[in-house]
């Protein structure tokens, strides 16, 4: 169950209540006090901010218990998650101050003109003389935001800002959120091409399928820079990394396992493709209508591609039917679709990656008793399988070697690098994937990605530490 942190500002009437009464009321209604700040002390009354950790479902109970209590006046309730979003989560900052006219004439006109001319004469100089070499656009149209669906470009912004924060904190990449007010494929392609000159790479985010496939493919063909749809490939890379390690835990091999992937959208298609490249021979892709089967006919081009693959099973069935006997379940669909019984019907030592956000396909309470390895996309449970493990290091590597694109060998190298961060001695059911705060993750991905880019001839620059 997910917890939230709320700050309750309360005024206590000392003639009627003590702080002990407040603490007891909070505790009885399911809250856990984590800090107390006195805002206004006083003899007859006092005002305090009480920070309370509480399960999402219990928040109202805590608030109501204080409202009802004689002698307690509830002045305000602030959700800390909302508080950290006030005014947005990133800002633009100059790299140097402009202290006088002399500085002004260098960073701006007239001095800047000769720099412009230099770039005009040699466009590659944009990489050394502008923010291009370290700046990525995080672009969405707001149509497949987390598992929330088509919530539009304004509502998508907090996720994009969050991705930009992660790019910066984890890999030093300057990322800028761009939320497009169009869902038209051609208009999106045109717009991204038009704004691309200032960026060193494009991270596409939360654009629903099947439009995301066309948008990414066309941009990769038409722009000479890394284009990466995070929900497709970031997710596939981290799944492969987690699976490589989970298979070691359960002592099974990629060639022998039967894998059910639920939700054949952006993430699901790329995961299926990468599973096949990694050697999976028994694959069951499933979407709303049930299994996508070998030999079937589908209007969705990527589903048709899957139906033409020899490793895809031919048996029809609903998710609850096809999951029976499976070794691995990978969910990238939506929350709460399966229960403990479904997991119990899987083969021995089941591996369950329930990665829908914000709610996984099967909750930990239901899945953990019946699975050997359980992972979600969330940071509040063990084994967080989330594309945040991938995109910062991958773009760090791609920018550092000025890669022309992000190709399959670079992605596979990134997956192996992530898996390698968990050593053989550390590996266990609850630790198949490193934490995003493990500094080795970005370092290892960068190294692997740069090497793969050089080997495949797409690097335009050899970073100093590779010379
Ligand atoms: N943990 C992680 O790193 C990531 C998790 N995700 C999560 O995966 C989910 C899908 O994301 P995208 O692929 O970007 O979205 P998408 O919209 O491209 O694809 C979702 C697919 O799931 C299918 N689907 C919906 N309900 C279903 C059901 N009841 N049974 C089977 N299939 C169903 C849809 O038809 C669609 O094909 C979201 O919840 C998202 O938050 C996505 C990317 C990364
Ligand atoms: C993690 C992520 O990118 C998603 O859930 O869409
Ligand atoms: Mg996403």
């Amino acid at each position: 169950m997910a917890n939230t942190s709320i700050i309750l500002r309360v005024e206590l009437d000392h003639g009627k209540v003590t702080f002990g009464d407040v603490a007891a009321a909070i505790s009885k209604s399911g809250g856990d006090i984590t800090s107390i700040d006195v805002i206004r002390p006083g003899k007859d009354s006092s005002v305090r901010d009480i920070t309370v950790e509480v399960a999402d479902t219990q928040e109202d109970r805590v608030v109501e218990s204080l409202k009802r209590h004689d002698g307690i006046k509830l002045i305000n309730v602030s959700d800390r998650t909302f508080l950290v979003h006030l005014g947005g989560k990133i800002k633009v900052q100059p790299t140097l101050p402009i202290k006088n006219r002399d500085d002004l004439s260098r960073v701006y006109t007239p001095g800047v003109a000769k720099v412009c001319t230099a770039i005009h004469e040699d466009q590659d100089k944009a990489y050394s003389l502008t923010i291009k070499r370290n700046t990525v656009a995080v672009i969405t149209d707001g149509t497949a935001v987390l598992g929330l669906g088509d919530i539009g470009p304004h509502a998508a912004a907090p996720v994009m800002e969050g991705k930009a924060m992660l790019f910066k904190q984890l890999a030093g990449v300057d990322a800028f959120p761009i939320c497009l007010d169009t869902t038209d494929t051609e208009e999106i392609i045109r717009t991204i091409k038009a704004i691309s000159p200032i960026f060193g790479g494009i991270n596409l985010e939360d654009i629903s399928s099947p439009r995301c496939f066309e948008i990414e493919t066309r941009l990769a063909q038409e722009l000479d820079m890394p284009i990466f749809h995070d929900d497709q490939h970031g997710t596939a890379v981290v799944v492969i990394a987690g699976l490589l390690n989970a298979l070691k835990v359960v002592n099974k091999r990629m060639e022998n396992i039967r894998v059910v992937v639920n939700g054949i959208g952006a993430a699901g298609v790329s995961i299926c493709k990468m599973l096949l490249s990694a050697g999976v021979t028994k694959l069951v892709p499933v979407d709303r209508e049930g299994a996508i089967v070998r030999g079937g006919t589908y209007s969705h081009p990527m589903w048709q591609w899957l139906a033409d693959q020899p490793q895809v099973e031919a048996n029809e069935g609903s998710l609850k039917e096809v999951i029976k006997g499976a070794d691995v379940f990978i969910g990238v669909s939506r929350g709460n679709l399966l229960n403990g019984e479904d997991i119990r019907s899987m083969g021995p030592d089941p591996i369950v990656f329930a990665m829908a956000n914000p709610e996984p396909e099967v909750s930990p309470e239901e899945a953990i008793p019946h699975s050997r390895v359980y992972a979600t996309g969330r940071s509040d449970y063990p084994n967080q399988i989330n594309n945040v493990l991938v995109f910062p290091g991958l773009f760090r590597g791609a920018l550092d070697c000025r890669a022309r694109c992000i190709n399959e060998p670079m992605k596979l190298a990134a997956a192996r690098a992530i898996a390698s961060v968990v050593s053989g001695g550390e590996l266990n059911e609850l630790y198949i994937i490193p934490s995003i705060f493990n500094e080795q993750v970005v370092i290892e991905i960068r190294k692997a990605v740069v090497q793969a880019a050089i080997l495949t001839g797409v690097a335009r620059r050899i970073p100093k530490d590779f010379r």
Side-chain angles (χ1 to χ4, degrees):
M1 191 174 295
N3 279 352
T4 188
S5 188
I6 51 175
I7 303 172
L8 304 159
R9 178 160 291 187
V10 291
E11 182 170 5
L12 310 190
D13 177 343
H14 293 171
K16 292 183 179 162
V17 285
T18 64
F19 187 75
D21 297 328
V22 180
I26 291 173
S27 167
K28 243 173 90 185
S29 51
D32 185 16
I33 297 179
T34 54
S35 72
I36 304 150
D37 296 292
V38 178
I39 304 300
R40 181 170 57 72
K43 195 164 162 294
D44 301 329
S45 70
S46 60
V47 177
R48 297 166 203 229
D49 274 353
I50 310 170
T51 307
V52 176
E53 191 78 15
V54 61
D56 284 345
T57 49
Q58 301 293 305
E59 188 178 334
D60 290 348
R61 246 184 97 199
V62 172
V63 169
E64 282 310 311
S65 77
L66 295 187
K67 274 190 185 159
R68 278 199 314 267
H69 206 298
D70 194 25
I72 300 174
K73 185 171 158 206
L74 186 60
I75 300 171
N76 189 35
V77 184
S78 326
D79 179 322
R80 283 176 79 179
T81 306
F82 274 88
L83 287 180
V84 299
H85 284 82
L86 285 180
K89 299 189 295 256
I90 59 164
K91 64 179 178 184
V92 173
Q93 218 166 13
T95 55
L96 70 168
I98 306 167
K99 287 185 288 206
N100 49 44
R101 279 178 171 275
D102 195 32
D103 288 345
L104 181 61
S105 66
R106 282 183 219 281
V107 302
Y108 193 51
T109 185
V112 74
K114 63 180 174 197
V115 182
C116 299
T117 308
I119 298 171
H120 180 60
E121 284 164 2
D122 176 3
Q123 206 168 287
D124 274 358
K125 288 210 165 86
Y127 280 101
S128 52
L129 296 171
T130 73
I131 61 171
K132 187 176 178 75
R133 80 169 147 199
N134 198 45
T135 307
V136 164
V138 178
I139 306 183
T140 190
D141 62 356
T143 50
V145 182
L146 306 176
L148 304 172
D150 185 357
I151 59 172
H154 289 91
V159 175
M160 306 309 131
E161 289 184 10
K163 295 258 174 193
M165 284 176 97
L166 290 158
F167 262 116
K168 185 67 181 181
Q169 178 171 329
L170 299 174
V173 172
D174 294 308
F176 199 82
I178 293 174
C179 304
L180 301 174
D181 194 6
T182 173
T183 58
D184 180 81
T185 301
E186 289 305 322
E187 197 176 359
I188 290 174
I189 294 169
R190 224 175 15 254
T191 307
I192 294 177
K193 283 177 69 180
I195 62 168
S196 67
I198 194 65
F199 297 107
I202 306 286
N203 182 104
L204 302 171
E205 191 68 46
D206 293 351
I207 298 176
S208 65
S209 63
R211 291 169 314 118
C212 61
F213 303 117
E214 166 84 2
I215 292 169
E216 189 196 40
T217 307
R218 288 270 305 284
L219 286 171
Q221 283 164 358
E222 295 172 28
L223 287 172
D224 199 16
M225 59 166 61
I227 309 291
F228 185 74
H229 183 201
D230 183 33
D231 298 286
Q232 289 183 58
H233 315 301
T235 317
V237 167
V238 72
V239 162
I240 297 298
L243 192 55
L244 286 169
N245 280 345
L247 289 177
K248 286 186 208 150
V249 171
V250 300
N251 203 16
K252 292 185 187 176
R253 296 170 66 86
M254 205 65 98
E255 310 84 79
N256 302 330
I257 53 172
R258 180 168 173 266
V259 187
V260 172
V261 179
N262 195 54
I264 309 303
V269 164
S270 188
I271 289 168
C272 287
K273 277 182 158 176
M274 216 162 164
L275 286 170
L276 296 180
S277 313
V280 165
T281 57
K282 284 169 267 178
L283 180 65
V284 189
V286 186
D287 208 88
R288 286 176 221 261
E289 308 294 315
I292 293 165
V293 296
R294 177 159 38 88
T297 307
Y298 301 95
S299 58
H300 187 314
M302 295 317 297
W303 293 10
Q304 188 58 53
W305 181 86
L306 281 167
D308 294 338
Q309 303 309 305
Q311 301 93 330
V312 169
E313 285 189 359
N315 299 332
E316 292 183 352
S318 68
L319 173 62
K320 282 176 182 277
E321 286 162 352
V322 297
I323 198 172
K324 291 192 173 82
D327 298 286
V328 179
F329 169 79
I330 297 168
V332 273
S333 47
R334 65 174 189 78
N336 301 315
L337 298 176
L338 295 173
N339 58 32
E341 278 307 299
D342 300 313
I343 306 304
R344 213 154 68 92
S345 76
M346 292 175 70
D349 295 329
I351 295 170
V352 175
F353 292 176
M355 296 171 50
N357 286 318
E359 295 300 328
E361 282 79 359
V362 50
S363 70
E365 292 79 14
E366 293 279 330
I368 288 172
H370 306 292
S371 52
R372 179 82 186 274
V373 179
Y374 174 73
T376 69
R378 298 171 56 131
S379 49
D380 48 357
Y381 301 129
N383 291 333
Q384 182 183 19
I385 301 207
N386 193 297
N387 51 29
V388 60
L389 271 158
V390 181
F391 62 80
L394 195 126
F395 268 98
R396 182 71 280 154
L399 291 174
D400 286 354
C401 69
R402 270 177 223 165
R404 290 184 184 282
C405 61
I406 292 175
N407 59 26
E408 291 305 310
M410 289 159 79
K411 289 184 237 167
L412 198 58
R416 293 206 177 107
I418 296 169
S420 76
V421 173
V422 180
S423 70
E426 296 168 317
L427 190 62
N428 67 65
E429 285 82 349
L430 295 176
Y431 186 42
I432 56 159
I433 199 91
S435 152
I436 66 151
F437 297 109
N438 184 328
E439 285 169 6
Q440 282 311 111
V441 172
V442 167
I443 294 170
E444 292 302 324
I445 297 179
R446 171 187 177 272
K447 203 159 66 184
V449 164
V450 171
Q451 271 164 356
I454 295 172
L455 280 173
T456 53
V458 299
R460 280 176 283 198
R461 172 180 176 270
I462 311 292
K464 263 204 194 94
D465 52 332
F466 285 79
R467 285 177 208 154

